[in-house]
């Protein structure tokens, strides 16, 4: 009898202790303490130069929120000194991980060494640097040489029956940036197999629509016969289309156009036959970046290079996928 009573009492006591614990646990989770256990990621973005960049920024911000990572975000407005300053401030703030999309390839050794001395892992996203690979944890992004080659292969096919010179103008991305260097390299090496295909002018349009338009205007004035425009991104191509129309020519017909990125506006122009070919470059790097951030914060080793998967589009293919594009 006594045994039964004490057993019942013990069971009751246990139940109330468990209830208190459960309640207490919930209170702590939903109240106070918020964020204290979160991984802090300092991210330095290149700027807001293009539709690609806008989609990339959204992907990073949305993915951080979903992954429960505390994101400190800064926009460098395409200036390396701004990026270096914000990386230094992330080091001072002792964030857990630093990620950045380097505006240009050179000049990062000093700040990367500072991050390493502070034992903060650095993840490169989207663009490469020429520093030693021991100075960063990993680099996630596209193969820009391959993107340039894809455009080159398309150009070879498009102009394979040309009997005379095919005059090409190139709108390059930001001077000294990995995508501008590599896309040019891949494209020019590929078209070299047909001596009819000649780049008659090549100039930077800084990856922006406004600059693309301005530079194309000048190129149209200086070169009476242009057969093909290769723009290193959709935005410069879209700016150039405005200049071509203003000159009384039909984009996609009088001057063929190939670009890289495949953002919504570019794909819309492609489906309307104002652009003839786009090599895709995916800006949706956020989710993978957050996974890598968690691993880096936990001290896990990372693969040094992670290449983004991408494809290419003709006008017909663009029309088919346009309504389901995320960006
Ligand atoms: O192609 C361009 C952007 O670095 C891949 O930067 C990125 C490039 C992209 O401004 O639109």
């Amino acid at each position: 009898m006594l045994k039964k009573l004490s057993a019942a009492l013990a069971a009751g006591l246990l139940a109330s202790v468990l209830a208190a614990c459960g309640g207490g646990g919930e209170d702590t989770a939903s109240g106070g303490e918020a964020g204290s256990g979160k991984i802090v990621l300092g991210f330095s973005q290149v700027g807001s130069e293009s539709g690609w960049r806008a989609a990339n920024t959204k992907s990073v911000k949305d993915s951080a929120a979903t992954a429960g990572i505390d994101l400190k975000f800064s926009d460098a407005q395409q200036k390396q000194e701004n990026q270096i300053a914000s990386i230094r401030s992330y080091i001072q703030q002792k964030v857990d991980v630093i990620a950045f999309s380097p505006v240009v390839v050179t000049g990062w050794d000093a700040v990367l060494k500072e991050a390493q001395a502070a034992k903060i892992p650095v993840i490169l996203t989207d663009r490469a640097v020429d520093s030693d690979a021991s100075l960063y944890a990993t680099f996630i992004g596209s193969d820009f040489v391959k993107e340039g080659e894809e455009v080159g292969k398309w150009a070879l096919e498009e102009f394979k029956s040309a009997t005379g010179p095919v005059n090409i103008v190139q709108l390059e991305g930001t001077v000294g940036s990995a995508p501008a260097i590599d896309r040019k390299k891949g494209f020019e090496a590929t078209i070299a197999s047909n001596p009819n295909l000649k780049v008659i002018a090549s100039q930077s349009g800084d990856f922006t629509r406004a600059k693309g338009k301005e530079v194309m205007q000048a190129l149209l004035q200086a070169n009476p016969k242009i057969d093909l425009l290769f723009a290193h991104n959709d935005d410069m191509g879209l700016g150039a289309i405005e200049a071509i129309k203003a000159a009384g020519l039909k984009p996609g017909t009088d001057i063929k156009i190939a670009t890289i990125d495949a953002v919504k506006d570019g794909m819309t122009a492609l489906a309307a036959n104002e652009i003839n070919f786009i090599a895709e470059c995916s800006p949706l790097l956020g989710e993978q970046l957050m996974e890598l951030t968690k691993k880096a914060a936990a001290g896990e080793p990372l693969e040094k290079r992670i290449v983004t998967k991408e494809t290419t589009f003709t006008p017909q293919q663009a029309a088919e996928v346009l309504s389901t594009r995320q960006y």
Side-chain angles (χ1 to χ4, degrees):
M1 176 74 186
L2 204 67
K3 257 189 183 169
K4 265 190 187 165
L5 188 67
S6 58
L9 272 174
L13 194 66
L14 189 66
S16 61
V17 168
L18 281 177
C21 272
E26 266 163 36
D27 278 347
T28 331
S30 59
E33 291 204 5
S36 63
K38 279 189 174 180
I39 294 169
V40 181
L41 169 67
F43 183 85
S44 169
Q45 180 61 289
V46 169
S48 0
E49 73 282 3
S50 64
W52 191 99
R53 194 61 56 196
N56 180 246
T57 291
K58 184 175 185 308
S59 168
V60 170
K61 288 185 175 171
D62 290 354
S63 307
T66 309
I69 285 174
D70 184 358
L71 177 72
K72 297 188 183 296
F73 182 93
S74 54
D75 176 335
Q77 296 174 319
Q78 299 234 67
K79 292 202 176 75
Q80 182 173 34
E81 63 265 33
N82 292 345
Q83 284 200 299
I84 291 176
S86 53
I87 294 168
R88 289 208 165 114
S89 114
Y90 294 145
I91 295 172
Q92 251 163 26
Q93 292 171 57
K94 297 189 167 57
V95 300
D96 298 302
V97 178
I98 292 172
F100 75 112
S101 180
V103 58
V104 290
V105 167
T106 56
W108 299 103
D109 285 6
V111 75
L112 288 175
K113 280 179 187 159
E114 290 166 32
Q116 194 163 63
K119 298 196 167 54
I120 302 176
V122 174
I123 299 175
L124 303 179
T125 78
D126 156 35
R127 295 183 182 180
V129 298
D130 70 355
S131 302
D132 192 86
S134 63
L135 291 176
Y136 55 85
T138 181
F139 165 34
I140 170 184
S142 309
D143 181 343
F144 299 135
V145 175
K146 183 164 175 283
E147 292 169 352
E149 286 168 355
E150 292 294 346
V151 176
K153 280 193 245 167
W154 169 83
L156 285 175
E157 183 61 24
E158 181 73 18
F159 294 99
K160 67 175 178 220
S161 45
T163 49
V166 175
N167 290 345
I168 304 172
V169 299
Q170 183 171 222
L171 283 173
E172 299 179 21
T174 303
V175 175
S177 70
I181 296 166
D182 291 350
R183 287 170 181 171
K184 180 180 161 83
K185 199 194 284 171
F187 175 71
E188 291 181 357
T190 307
I191 61 163
S193 68
N194 180 348
N196 277 337
L197 272 62
K198 278 218 167 63
V199 178
I200 57 164
S202 193
Q203 233 173 287
S204 173
D206 214 11
F207 280 131
T208 70
R209 214 175 275 210
K211 255 307 193 62
K213 180 177 180 183
E214 189 188 309
V215 175
M216 191 63 191
Q217 248 159 12
L219 291 176
L220 283 162
Q221 271 163 16
N223 304 283
K225 180 185 174 280
I226 297 172
D227 301 299
L228 169 65
L229 160 68
F230 168 35
H232 286 185
N233 77 345
D234 289 351
D235 279 89
M236 291 189 295
L238 291 162
I241 285 175
E242 291 174 32
I244 293 169
K245 284 182 179 167
L249 296 168
K250 207 171 169 211
T253 306
D254 296 328
I255 298 179
K256 301 280 180 187
I257 302 176
T259 63
I260 293 176
D261 274 357
V263 295
K264 260 268 162 57
D265 289 355
M267 292 289 271
T268 307
L270 180 62
N273 289 299
E274 290 193 333
I275 294 179
N276 307 85
F277 182 79
I278 301 184
E280 182 186 45
C281 178
S282 176
L284 305 179
L285 302 176
E287 205 181 311
Q288 251 179 317
L289 173 61
M290 299 312 147
E291 282 165 21
L292 292 167
T293 298
K294 285 182 183 170
K295 285 189 183 166
E300 287 176 39
L302 305 178
E303 250 180 274
K304 265 282 135 106
R305 176 74 170 109
I306 301 166
V307 183
T308 319
K309 286 197 191 82
E310 35 217 20
T311 182
T312 61
F313 295 101
T314 61
Q316 200 194 330
Q317 289 164 331
E320 281 161 16
V321 301
L322 199 53
S323 61
T324 58
R325 283 301 273 180
Q326 283 185 57
Y327 55 92

